[in-house]
Amino acid sequence: MADLRIQVCYAKPEWQFLRELSVVPGTTIRDAIQVSGLLEEAPEIDLSTARVGVYGKLKELDALLREHDRVEVYRPLIADPKDARRRRAIKKERQK
């Protein structure tokens, strides 16, 4: 079988990582992240707690990759989206 072409990406406000890789069939998300060199360039990533996905859909680290998958490593949320939405609604209400 031919190798799979995939991407591994991670972004912070001041920096982004995007690496295209050729991996063998049977490669997992964890394998791809480790082979990509991302963990060396962004040592703050802890795979035991990091959320990962493929094209915006959350996946487990042991999920198998397919041709053209884009592995995404997500940063933790700083603010709770529900709280942020609530604060904006209150602010908007006060401006009326």
Side-chain angles (χ1 to χ4, degrees):
M1 287 183 87
D3 286 353
L4 307 174
R5 291 171 295 171
I6 64 154
Q7 293 180 328
V8 175
C9 63
Y10 176 71
K12 298 190 290 188
E14 70 282 356
W15 176 78
Q16 65 183 358
F17 177 95
L18 178 62
R19 180 114 349 122
E20 294 189 19
L21 302 172
S22 181
V23 297
V24 297
T27 298
T28 64
I29 289 176
R30 179 190 317 273
D31 297 335
I33 292 169
Q34 290 172 335
V35 169
S36 73
L38 173 60
L39 299 177
E40 289 76 28
E41 292 195 37
E44 71 274 9
I45 297 173
D46 178 1
L47 280 185
S48 66
T49 59
R51 295 171 61 136
V52 298
V54 174
Y55 287 114
K57 295 191 180 205
L58 286 177
K59 301 283 185 178
E60 298 293 325
L61 287 169
D62 59 355
L64 295 178
L65 294 171
R66 298 185 303 201
E67 178 75 6
H68 300 298
D69 276 352
R70 183 181 67 217
V71 174
E72 302 163 339
V73 179
Y74 306 118
R75 291 181 291 129
L77 293 176
I78 295 172
D80 179 6
K82 289 180 183 178
D83 286 340
R85 202 172 310 121
R86 198 173 294 117
R87 283 192 305 271
R88 285 193 306 272
I90 290 169
K91 183 178 178 181
K92 187 176 180 180
E93 190 64 34
R94 287 181 182 162
Q95 291 175 346
K96 288 184 178 180

